[in-house]
Short mmCIF file of all heavy atoms in Angstrom, two decimals:
data_model
loop_
_atom_site.label_atom_id
_atom_site.label_comp_id
_atom_site.label_asym_id
_atom_site.label_seq_id
_atom_site.Cartn_x
_atom_site.Cartn_y
_atom_site.Cartn_z
N GLN C 59 5.68 25.39 1.64
CA GLN C 59 5.22 26.48 2.50
C GLN C 59 5.82 27.82 2.09
O GLN C 59 6.89 27.88 1.50
CB GLN C 59 5.50 26.17 3.97
CG GLN C 59 6.95 26.01 4.35
CD GLN C 59 7.12 25.55 5.80
OE1 GLN C 59 6.19 25.01 6.42
NE2 GLN C 59 8.30 25.77 6.36
N ASP C 108 3.91 29.63 6.75
CA ASP C 108 4.87 29.47 7.85
C ASP C 108 4.60 30.51 8.95
O ASP C 108 3.61 31.25 8.90
CB ASP C 108 6.26 29.64 7.20
CG ASP C 108 7.39 28.97 7.98
OD1 ASP C 108 7.12 28.30 8.98
OD2 ASP C 108 8.55 29.14 7.57
N HIS C 109 5.52 30.57 9.93
CA HIS C 109 5.38 31.47 11.09
C HIS C 109 4.56 32.74 10.85
O HIS C 109 4.84 33.48 9.91
CB HIS C 109 6.76 31.95 11.55
CG HIS C 109 7.68 30.86 11.95
ND1 HIS C 109 7.80 30.45 13.26
CD2 HIS C 109 8.50 30.08 11.23
CE1 HIS C 109 8.68 29.46 13.31
NE2 HIS C 109 9.12 29.21 12.09
N MET C 141 0.20 28.33 9.81
CA MET C 141 0.83 28.34 11.13
C MET C 141 0.57 29.68 11.83
O MET C 141 0.67 30.74 11.21
CB MET C 141 2.35 28.17 10.99
CG MET C 141 3.08 28.26 12.31
SD MET C 141 4.86 28.09 12.13
CE MET C 141 5.31 27.88 13.86
N GLU C 173 2.86 27.27 17.52
CA GLU C 173 4.18 27.12 18.15
C GLU C 173 4.10 27.49 19.62
O GLU C 173 3.52 28.52 19.98
CB GLU C 173 5.21 28.01 17.44
CG GLU C 173 6.60 27.99 18.08
CD GLU C 173 7.68 28.64 17.20
OE1 GLU C 173 7.70 28.38 15.98
OE2 GLU C 173 8.50 29.40 17.73
N THR C 177 11.46 29.04 18.75
CA THR C 177 12.51 28.60 17.82
C THR C 177 13.56 29.70 17.80
O THR C 177 13.24 30.86 17.56
CB THR C 177 11.94 28.40 16.39
OG1 THR C 177 10.83 27.52 16.46
CG2 THR C 177 13.00 27.83 15.47
N GLU C 181 13.52 34.62 12.37
CA GLU C 181 12.43 34.39 11.45
C GLU C 181 11.87 35.77 11.14
O GLU C 181 12.26 36.75 11.78
CB GLU C 181 11.36 33.45 12.05
CG GLU C 181 10.65 34.04 13.24
CD GLU C 181 9.93 32.99 14.09
OE1 GLU C 181 10.49 31.92 14.31
OE2 GLU C 181 8.84 33.31 14.54
N HIS C 225 16.58 28.40 13.73
CA HIS C 225 16.58 28.64 12.28
C HIS C 225 17.99 28.98 11.82
O HIS C 225 18.71 29.70 12.49
CB HIS C 225 15.67 29.83 11.93
CG HIS C 225 14.21 29.56 12.15
ND1 HIS C 225 13.38 30.42 12.82
CD2 HIS C 225 13.44 28.52 11.76
CE1 HIS C 225 12.15 29.93 12.84
NE2 HIS C 225 12.16 28.77 12.21
N HIS C 262 10.90 22.48 13.66
CA HIS C 262 11.38 23.68 12.97
C HIS C 262 12.90 23.69 12.94
O HIS C 262 13.55 23.02 13.75
CB HIS C 262 10.86 24.95 13.65
CG HIS C 262 9.47 25.28 13.21
ND1 HIS C 262 9.18 26.33 12.39
CD2 HIS C 262 8.29 24.63 13.45
CE1 HIS C 262 7.88 26.34 12.14
NE2 HIS C 262 7.31 25.32 12.78
N GLY C 263 13.45 24.46 12.03
CA GLY C 263 14.92 24.58 11.95
C GLY C 263 15.57 23.27 11.55
O GLY C 263 16.58 22.86 12.13
N ASN C 284 10.59 21.31 8.94
CA ASN C 284 10.80 22.47 8.07
C ASN C 284 12.26 22.57 7.64
O ASN C 284 13.17 22.47 8.48
CB ASN C 284 10.44 23.75 8.82
CG ASN C 284 8.97 23.87 9.08
OD1 ASN C 284 8.19 22.98 8.76
ND2 ASN C 284 8.58 24.99 9.68
ZN1 ZN R 504 10.43 27.78 11.65
#
Side-chain angles (χ1 to χ4, degrees):
Q59 61 187 20
D108 204 5
H109 300 267
M141 176 181 192
E173 176 168 317
T177 306
E181 65 198 41
H225 292 132
H262 278 252
N284 291 3

